[in-house]
Amino acid sequence: MSKFSASDAAFVGFRLVREHPRTVAVWAALMTVLSLAISTLTIKLAGPQLAEFMAMSAENNASPQEMMAMLGRLAPLMAVSLVYSLALYSVMLAAVNRIVLRPDEGRSAYLRLGRDELRQAGVLILSNLLLLGVYFVAVLIYAVLLGIGIAAGGGAIGGIIGLVGFVAVACLMIYTAVRLSFASAITFATGKVSVFESWAVTKGHVGALLGAYLLAVVMGVIVYLLIMTIVAAVGAIVAGGIGGLGGLFEPDMSSLEAFFTPVGIVRAVFAGLISVLTTLIIFSPAPTIYQILKSGGAEPVDASV
């Protein structure tokens, strides 16, 4: 039986926002500046190529050779994006773990660049490689069974096996992700890159953990939609009507002039806040639940700085 409340854990992100408003404001401001800087760099490096690739993807009539050639031209940008994403998530995951597990270390808004962040990068890489390996093995088995089913019983049997196999692969990936969900918190708490230790700690709690994570994701989506509604309203006022909101959800990155429109600036201003809120809401339940389980099921005392 689980020693924690899935619903309480799912809402811990909101509690953290309430207890640390200045920290959230600092994170949002930094994320906004960083987002603008990365967008500017992306446009400078490969703005026209990226716009061309998006147009080709939308038309659905480009040949595989053309798509591969375009991906080759975008390879440097993809490499930069991968490194940036790894660095960003390493810092943010460390900060979320720090605000939950070490609430007294509030200097610099819980943000650091040190060994904790490097270890988060390591556990991110290992966890994703493990998930990728599980996915490839599951898909390989699924493809073999599908082929056998089609050969033995034709399209009807193949369709049934295909549907069952798809659901099975999805469930396996979700189960594995839940069992590894404490890897970041354990790595932060122990000071050692740990992946498989999460498997032992989550034993017997998969259902409750999945419920907490799903509820947190739903809350994150609701917050995102609410803020985007506000962004759309402000953008409509700035652009002089709804007709000027064309670049709100799909910004034009072909040039700096096309990107930094009035609507684009409004979107950028709120981008940092959206990112910070959704990060706290979605990623804070895992270290919170880990802390509860490691303390024997006792709810930790709230601490705000």
Side-chain angles (χ1 to χ4, degrees):
M1 184 176 179
S2 297
K3 302 177 182 179
F4 61 91
S5 167
S7 58
D8 289 347
F11 285 92
V12 71
F14 293 96
R15 175 176 63 81
L16 293 175
V17 172
R18 185 184 72 250
E19 293 177 354
H20 304 275
R22 282 187 285 185
T23 295
V24 172
V26 171
W27 288 9
L30 291 175
M31 287 292 289
T32 299
V33 172
L34 188 59
S35 175
L36 289 172
I38 292 299
S39 297
T40 301
L41 179 62
T42 299
I43 294 171
K44 285 290 188 181
L45 286 177
Q49 294 91 331
L50 186 60
E52 184 180 351
F53 176 74
M54 296 300 293
M56 291 172 62
S57 302
E59 292 173 359
N60 294 321
N61 58 3
S63 67
Q65 292 80 8
E66 291 176 330
M67 293 295 290
M68 290 303 297
M70 180 57 66
L71 286 174
R73 292 162 60 187
L74 290 173
L77 177 63
M78 295 168 65
V80 171
S81 177
L82 183 62
V83 173
Y84 163 73
S85 297
L86 177 62
L88 177 63
Y89 277 102
S90 297
V91 172
M92 291 307 297
L93 281 175
V96 172
N97 282 309
R98 189 172 288 114
I99 201 172
V100 172
L101 301 177
R102 303 176 191 169
D104 56 326
E105 297 184 3
R107 66 184 187 279
S108 302
Y110 295 94
L111 296 171
R112 310 282 192 279
L113 285 174
R115 294 182 178 180
D116 285 329
E117 287 69 26
L118 287 176
R119 283 189 285 264
Q120 289 299 311
V123 80
L124 274 172
I125 293 172
L126 292 176
S127 298
N128 281 283
L129 285 176
L130 181 58
L131 284 169
L132 191 61
V134 171
Y135 174 75
F136 279 146
V137 172
V139 169
L140 180 61
I141 295 173
Y142 162 70
V144 171
L145 293 177
L146 181 60
I148 294 174
I150 293 176
I157 299 297
I160 295 174
I161 293 178
L163 177 60
V164 173
F166 174 81
V167 173
V169 171
C171 290
L172 176 62
M173 294 304 299
I174 293 173
Y175 177 81
T176 305
V178 171
R179 295 302 300 268
L180 297 177
S181 61
F182 285 171
S184 173
I186 293 174
T187 295
F188 185 86
T190 62
K192 298 183 296 183
V193 176
S194 305
V195 177
F196 295 106
E197 285 80 354
S198 175
W199 202 272
V201 182
T202 56
K203 183 179 180 180
H205 305 288
V206 174
L209 286 171
L210 180 59
Y213 298 156
L214 287 177
L215 185 55
V217 169
V218 170
M219 293 298 103
V221 171
I222 291 174
V223 168
Y224 172 81
L225 293 176
L226 286 174
I227 296 179
M228 286 306 296
T229 301
I230 297 174
V231 173
V234 176
I237 295 173
V238 172
I242 297 177
L245 295 178
L248 181 62
F249 298 101
E250 295 183 4
D252 185 350
M253 302 189 71
S254 59
S255 66
L256 291 176
E257 292 77 13
F259 182 79
F260 286 104
T261 61
V263 173
I265 294 173
V266 170
R267 182 188 60 247
V269 168
F270 284 89
L273 179 61
I274 292 174
S275 179
V276 169
L277 291 180
T278 53
T279 296
L280 275 173
I281 293 170
I282 293 174
F283 291 112
S284 61
T288 301
I289 297 171
Y290 168 74
Q291 184 183 45
I292 294 171
L293 294 179
K294 292 302 290 184
S295 64
E299 293 284 350
V301 177
D302 290 349
S304 59
V305 177

